[in-house]
Amino acid sequence: MNESALAPKVVRTRAGMAAERELARADGVSVGFVPTMGFLHEGHLSLAREASRRCDRVVMSIFVNPIQFGSASDLDSYPRDEGRDLELAALAGVDTVYAPSVEDVYPEGFATRVAVSGITEVLCGDPNSRGQAHFEGVTTIVAKLFNLIDPDLSFFGAKDAQQAAVVRRMVRDLDFRTEVVVMPTVREADGLAMSSRNARLEPADRERALALYRALCEIRDVATDGDLGAGLAGGRNLLEGEGIEIEYLEARDFDSFETVEDLGERPVLVAVAAEIGGVRLIDNIVLEGDGEAIKDQTGGQVAAGEAR
Ligand code: AMP
């Protein structure tokens, strides 16, 4: 067991994090970065383990970023448990946890936003969903973290496929030198995509939430038989049959995020968002032309046990 298995070093300020980065530079080591909002689960830990496998030093940020939340109640009810997070992070090979205060990240007078256009206008960026301001909040914090931590590799989850695509776009457009690595969605044994928000689900709602992945699988199966439209209709029926109010259920080109009617040559993202028992959940799968769920790191499906 290495030193980091006991406890990661916890850094609370931007100045402290900059000093840590200088140390890594002086040591000539590579740095892997895993941004999170904490309340860690296997999804986060799979990213940390991969970072630890591929990089000399691993930095994880734990910061519930207020500017990406639309509603104050969603922000206030976001689950937190830093003590447990630090233990889990250490076991997953994290060396440094950057857990700053909101005031340190956004001091009085902070007035900048980083915005990616185009692919942020749909799905979670639609005005009827979280809206583009959500992604502006994400890209603003991620740009700040990239500047501070200057990671060689940074690790994101396919569970938030649109977020990963937006971050990739930003990295390309703004010449960040980090390489973005996207890791497969980690699921509970019954298929529910792991999420910190799952902790807020009442047992009956947790059961109903299984319909999200079931609907995605049904869409995959019907689309494989050649009818994506019928698949989407079937998925919609399945969710509505469970009394789930759908925020969106759409098939889009995985690269351009344009809507698609059929499976073609290019990968198609099938994404769903719904509020269940007052908890907003998202999930997605990526289909290739032959309808097979992609098994590579851009959108593969993995059960919790396999990710260890
Ligand atoms: P969050 O703490 O929800 O902001 O997530 C931090 C990172 O972990 C993001 O890159 C997420 O995409 C990723 N992540 C969250 N849930 C999962 C999951 N079930 N499987 C894989 N990655 C995940």
Side-chain angles (χ1 to χ4, degrees), residues 90 135 162 209 236 276:
F135 284 116
Q162 190 178 14
R236 188 165 283 278
I276 300 177

Side-chain angles (χ1 to χ4, degrees), residues 217-253:
C217 291
E218 162 144 355
I219 294 166
R220 178 195 61 208
D221 293 345
V222 178
T224 311
D225 290 342
D227 197 342
L228 179 60
L232 285 169
R236 188 165 283 278
N237 276 341
L238 192 153
L239 292 170
E240 286 170 356
E242 290 286 336
I244 292 172
E245 206 175 306
I246 301 166
E247 190 177 294
Y248 63 73
L249 174 62
E250 293 180 32
R252 290 187 173 264
D253 182 286

Side-chain angles (χ1 to χ4, degrees), residues 35-38 41 43-44 46-47 68 78 155-160 163 183-187 193-196:
T36 81
M37 298 203 297
H41 51 67
H44 300 114
S46 70
L47 307 184
Q68 74 186 66
Y78 201 85
F155 296 82
F156 291 82
K159 151 112 184 333
D160 299 271
Q163 170 175 282
M183 297 292 293
T185 299
V186 179
R187 300 180 179 282
M194 291 200 179
S195 164
S196 305

Side-chain angles (χ1 to χ4, degrees), residues 26-267:
D27 291 346
V29 296
S30 64
V31 172
F33 175 46
V34 182
T36 81
M37 298 203 297
F39 212 72
L40 302 181
H41 51 67
E42 270 305 311
H44 300 114
L45 300 175
S46 70
L47 307 184
R49 286 191 204 101
E50 182 68 4
S52 163
R53 204 178 63 78
R54 294 178 62 175
C55 303
D56 299 321
R57 217 159 275 179
V58 178
V59 178
M60 174 183 277
S61 60
I62 297 182
F63 181 64
V64 183
N65 178 34
I67 67 167
Q68 74 186 66
F69 282 80
S71 94
S73 70
D74 191 25
L75 174 62
D76 291 343
S77 60
Y78 201 85
R80 299 162 206 243
D81 187 344
E82 193 184 86
R84 180 173 163 276
D85 285 350
L86 295 179
E87 282 174 25
L88 292 173
L91 290 169
V94 172
D95 301 287
T96 307
V97 167
Y98 176 48
S101 66
V102 172
E103 294 70 31
D104 191 74
V105 175
Y106 301 120
E108 186 79 16
F110 185 91
T112 300
R113 288 291 185 278
V114 178
V116 171
S117 61
I119 59 173
T120 56
E121 288 164 18
V122 300
L123 302 177
C124 287
D126 187 283
N128 294 317
S129 178
R130 301 188 85 174
Q132 271 184 297
H134 162 67
F135 284 116
E136 281 189 22
V138 170
T139 40
T140 300
I141 187 65
V142 173
K144 275 173 72 72
L145 293 166
F146 282 171
N147 278 331
L148 196 56
I149 294 162
D150 187 25
D152 295 278
L153 300 182
S154 34
F155 296 82
F156 291 82
K159 151 112 184 333
D160 299 271
Q162 190 178 14
Q163 170 175 282
V166 170
V167 169
R168 272 223 164 103
R169 183 78 263 162
M170 178 188 78
V171 163
R172 256 184 252 149
D173 290 352
L174 296 185
D175 308 315
F176 285 104
R177 68 170 199 96
T178 193
E179 183 189 326
V180 174
V181 179
V182 181
M183 297 292 293
T185 299
V186 179
R187 300 180 179 282
E188 303 284 358
D190 57 12
L192 183 67
M194 291 200 179
S195 164
S196 305
R197 288 191 163 90
N198 292 350
R200 287 171 49 208
L201 289 168
E202 298 294 337
D205 291 325
R206 169 139 186 353
E207 199 58 34
R208 280 204 306 151
L210 295 177
L212 295 177
Y213 186 53
R214 280 216 314 274
L216 294 174
C217 291
E218 162 144 355
I219 294 166
R220 178 195 61 208
D221 293 345
V222 178
T224 311
D225 290 342
D227 197 342
L228 179 60
L232 285 169
R236 188 165 283 278
N237 276 341
L238 192 153
L239 292 170
E240 286 170 356
E242 290 286 336
I244 292 172
E245 206 175 306
I246 301 166
E247 190 177 294
Y248 63 73
L249 174 62
E250 293 180 32
R252 290 187 173 264
D253 182 286
F254 193 34
D255 186 46
S256 68
F257 281 70
E258 300 286 341
T259 45
V260 292
E261 307 289 329
D262 299 301
L263 298 185
E265 301 275 283
R266 293 142 60 90

